[in-house]
């Protein structure tokens, strides 16, 4: 997410403070269940109830039907997962919406609901290592989650449709799942909308076909590479679509702009192949099968977000630096995803430094100048980038700008040759996985051959601003 937007809205992370701890099912005896319930939460340092224990999702198949005129969503979520323990019950995160029923491996499952915790008790116990399929049927008017600063996430209504944005918790407003960044999965997202509208999502468009009654259109999207739920998206509306492939070696580009902003957005959308070529020179091979962007009207969302394959931006945030920021996230955040929300600086510090590199290469502004400007801003020194004080501040300015300062000091400490090798090597080492701050520290020290304890102590974990930059 771009920091300029956050300076206006503050982090949507505060919405998770409203989560209600779910009451877990106890092991039953009616069907010979002898496992134990999976944990209702993964004990994330900032969002302890987010995500669920006892299983690892492999794939989501989401079938959605949405009519903007009524605001009603009808959904079926087919979740293929592997049990990591013997399970008598397991939880899914779901905000609002009404569950009509659920099955596990084809048999009806008992359903219990407590706040944002949906607990399923399968007919028979699941053994450790079992792969199982849970199907949940649900419907309702998806809710928008609003944090204390006024930023909205979840399912956002737009003038002609809707927009789903999930950082850090909003994805649970439109489908049940294991909504923690540590549990990534592949996705099939199929969306039916009224005739004349388009449904966009992540990955590749597999099919587009009219409904049997001719009143709607069904769009089927497939994401093969692992994706965290907070970077999934669905965008519904009237769009101008552009597709291109620079050459046989280039990354396919699939972009969309709301028809009211398409003409003004066109010139910058046309620069995406150029910016991707530059990004691959800096960050290494692109980790996904296609790229692009979705440009919405100003006001449809209060921020830009690095939704996988094609980030979402509003017209007022659709500038070259913010586009570069969100594209950089495809390496740092989407492919290499934080192990916990405490590791958020690994997303935002890298994406902010990408803006500084863009300014260095395209605007003749050395990264040192950007560093010094950030160094002088008092607000950026409220807390260390690797230790936000609470959930509300995991996306505050120090995470972005002090995170970028850490990388600039690293560049100075190891020299450009090693630094840019690290920029490429880090996302390659953890491609399509998760990583923590400790993982990054260990990787950098091994790659550079240096003990950088002093740098981490001052710039990554230090409470006070040094006397000089």
């Amino acid at each position: 997410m771009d920091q300029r937007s956050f300076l206006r809205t503050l982090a949507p992370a505060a919405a998770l403070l409203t989560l209600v701890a779910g009451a877990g099912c106890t092991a039953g005896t009616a069907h010979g269940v002898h496992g134990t319930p999976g944990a209702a939460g993964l004990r994330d340092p900032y969002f302890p109830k987010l995500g669920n224990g006892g299983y690892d999702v492999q794939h989501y198949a989401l079938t959605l039907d949405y009519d903007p005129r009524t605001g009603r969503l009808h959904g079926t979520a087919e979740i293929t997962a592997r049990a990591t323990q013997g399970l008598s019950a397991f939880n899914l995160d779901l905000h609002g919406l009404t569950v009509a029923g659920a099955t596990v491996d084809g048999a009806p499952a008992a359903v219990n609901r407590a706040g944002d915790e949906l607990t399923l008790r399968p007919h028979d116990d699941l053994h450790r290592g079992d792969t199982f399929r849970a199907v949940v049927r649900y419907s309702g008017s998806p809710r928008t989650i609003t944090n204390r600063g006024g930023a909205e996430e979840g399912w956002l209504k737009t003038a002609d449709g809707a927009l789903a944005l999930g950082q850090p918790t909003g994805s649970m407003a439109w489908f049940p799942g294991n909504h923690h960044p540590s549990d990534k999965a592949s996705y099939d997202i199929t969306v039916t909308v009224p005739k004349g509208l388009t449904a966009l999502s992540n990955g590749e468009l597999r099919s587009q076909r009219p409904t049997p009654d001719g009143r709607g259109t069904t769009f089927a999207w497939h994401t093969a590479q692992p994706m965290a739920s907070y970077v999934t998206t669905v965008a519904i509306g009237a769009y101008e679509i552009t597709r291109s492939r620079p050459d046989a070696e280039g990354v396919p580009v699939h972009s969309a702009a709301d028809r009211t902003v398409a003409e003004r957005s066109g010139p910058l959308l046309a620069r995406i192949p150029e910016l991707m070529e530059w990004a691959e020179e800096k960050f290494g091979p692109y980790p996904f099968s296609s790229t692009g962007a979705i440009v919405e009207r100003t006001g449809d969302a209060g921020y830009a977000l690095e939704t996988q394959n094609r980030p979402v931006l509003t017209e007022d945030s659709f500038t070259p630096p913010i586009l570069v920021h969100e594209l950089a996230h495809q390496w740092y955040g989407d492919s290499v995803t934080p192990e916990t929300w405490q590791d958020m600086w690994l997303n935002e510090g890298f994406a902010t430094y990408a803006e500084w590199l863009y300014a260095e290469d395209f605007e003749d502004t050395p990264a040192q100048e950007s560093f010094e400007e950030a160094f002088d801003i008092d607000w950026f020194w409220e807390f260390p980038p690797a230790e936000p004080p609470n959930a509300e501040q995991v996306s505050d300015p120090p995470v972005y700008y002090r995170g970028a300062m850490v990388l600039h000091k690293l560049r100075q400490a190891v020299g450009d040759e090693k630094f840019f090798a690290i920029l490429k090597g880090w996302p390659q080492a953890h491609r399509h996985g998760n990583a923590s701050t400790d993982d990054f520290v260990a990787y950098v020290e091994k790659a550079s051959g240096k003990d950088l304890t002093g740098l981490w102590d001052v710039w990554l974990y230090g409470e006070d601003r040094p006397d000089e930059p």
Side-chain angles (χ1 to χ4, degrees):
M1 187 179 295
D2 70 287
Q3 178 57 36
R4 291 173 178 83
S5 300
F6 272 117
L7 293 177
R8 297 194 303 268
T9 64
L10 296 183
L16 237 297
L17 299 180
T18 63
L19 278 178
V20 180
C25 291
T26 56
T29 58
H31 308 295
V33 178
H34 300 293
T36 57
L42 293 179
R43 297 185 179 181
D44 184 275
Y46 296 98
F47 305 114
K49 286 296 181 182
L50 193 62
N52 303 282
Y55 64 95
D56 176 30
V57 178
Q58 310 294 306
H59 183 73
Y60 290 94
L62 307 177
T63 303
L64 310 175
D65 190 319
Y66 182 71
D67 188 344
R69 292 168 295 186
T70 65
R72 298 280 296 179
L73 175 71
H74 296 269
T76 300
E78 299 182 18
I79 303 168
T80 302
R82 181 179 59 84
T84 57
Q85 68 175 65
L87 287 172
S88 62
F90 59 92
N91 283 24
L92 300 168
D93 302 314
L94 182 64
H95 181 75
L97 301 172
T98 299
V99 175
T103 62
V104 176
D105 289 336
V111 177
N112 182 56
R113 190 72 179 272
D116 292 332
E117 295 290 341
L118 175 68
T119 304
L120 302 187
R121 184 188 299 174
H123 183 278
D124 297 305
D125 60 334
L126 299 169
H127 299 282
R128 182 178 180 181
D130 284 353
T131 296
F132 63 93
R133 186 173 70 112
V135 179
V136 180
R137 293 176 291 110
Y138 59 99
S139 63
S141 298
R143 299 178 184 176
T144 297
I145 301 171
T146 305
N147 74 7
R148 294 179 183 177
E152 296 182 334
E153 58 174 319
W155 192 269
L156 312 179
K157 292 183 179 180
T158 62
D160 56 0
L163 176 63
L165 298 177
Q167 184 177 306
T169 68
S171 50
M172 67 178 175
W174 58 281
F175 70 96
N178 199 20
H179 293 294
H180 189 270
S182 63
D183 194 359
K184 301 168 71 171
S186 58
Y187 282 75
D188 282 290
I189 300 178
T190 302
V191 188
T192 298
V193 295
K195 184 178 179 180
L197 297 182
T198 297
L200 305 164
S201 190
N202 312 88
E204 312 310 319
L205 181 63
R206 288 292 182 87
S207 65
Q208 175 182 335
R209 62 187 186 277
T211 57
D213 63 8
R215 296 180 179 179
T217 309
T218 299
F219 297 81
W221 294 84
H222 175 70
T223 302
Q225 293 86 10
M227 178 165 63
S229 63
Y230 80 91
V231 289
T232 59
T233 192
V234 169
I236 297 168
Y239 296 97
E240 293 289 339
I241 307 296
T242 57
R243 297 182 178 90
S244 66
R245 183 163 191 156
D247 53 53
E249 302 298 322
V251 178
V253 180
H254 188 153
S255 294
D258 185 283
R259 287 180 182 173
T260 64
V261 305
E263 184 175 354
R264 295 187 296 274
S265 302
L268 184 51
L269 284 173
R271 289 191 62 195
I272 288 179
E274 170 201 1
L275 295 175
M276 288 297 298
E277 183 178 356
W278 171 82
E280 288 194 285
E281 291 177 358
K282 297 295 184 184
F283 313 137
Y286 182 64
F288 301 115
S289 54
S290 67
T291 187
I294 300 171
V295 185
E296 295 281 354
R297 309 177 199 209
T298 297
D300 282 352
Y303 47 87
L305 187 64
E306 62 269 22
T307 45
Q308 193 158 300
N309 297 98
R310 50 193 57 85
V312 172
L313 306 97
T314 54
E315 186 184 16
D316 60 332
S317 68
F318 193 51
T319 64
I322 296 179
L323 178 59
V324 165
H325 181 111
E326 305 304 342
L327 291 175
H329 272 310
Q330 305 304 306
W331 285 262
Y332 312 107
D334 291 12
S335 179
V336 184
T337 303
E339 189 69 34
T340 74
W341 285 107
Q342 185 170 356
D343 303 304
M344 187 67 160
W345 82 274
L346 289 172
N347 290 17
E348 303 302 350
F350 275 92
T352 301
Y353 200 72
E355 293 186 56
W356 295 2
L357 292 176
Y358 174 85
E360 190 166 66
D361 290 350
F362 288 87
E363 299 174 351
D364 296 323
T365 301
Q368 177 66 22
E369 186 174 322
S370 298
F371 167 82
E372 291 174 359
E373 181 180 345
F375 181 89
D376 287 336
I377 297 176
D378 294 340
W379 193 14
F380 296 168
W381 292 90
E382 289 186 344
F383 58 84
E387 292 182 336
N390 51 55
E392 290 182 315
Q393 294 179 279
V394 294
S395 295
D396 272 10
V399 174
Y400 289 70
Y401 292 98
R402 283 199 60 183
M405 283 187 261
V406 170
L407 296 178
H408 192 69
K409 296 305 290 187
L410 174 62
R411 180 179 179 179
Q412 292 178 336
V414 303
D416 275 12
E417 182 177 354
K418 286 186 177 180
F419 175 74
F420 285 103
I422 288 169
L423 279 191
K424 292 181 178 180
W426 169 247
Q428 188 63 34
H430 294 276
R431 187 180 177 93
H432 300 317
N434 294 86
S436 67
T437 298
D438 287 345
D439 292 329
F440 179 71
V441 168
Y443 176 84
V444 166
E445 296 205 344
K446 181 177 180 181
S448 67
K450 290 191 173 185
D451 179 353
L452 298 168
T453 301
L455 188 154
W456 311 129
D457 287 348
V458 173
W459 296 95
L460 187 56
Y461 292 106
E463 295 284 348
D464 301 320
R465 176 166 46 188
D467 292 335
E468 296 182 359

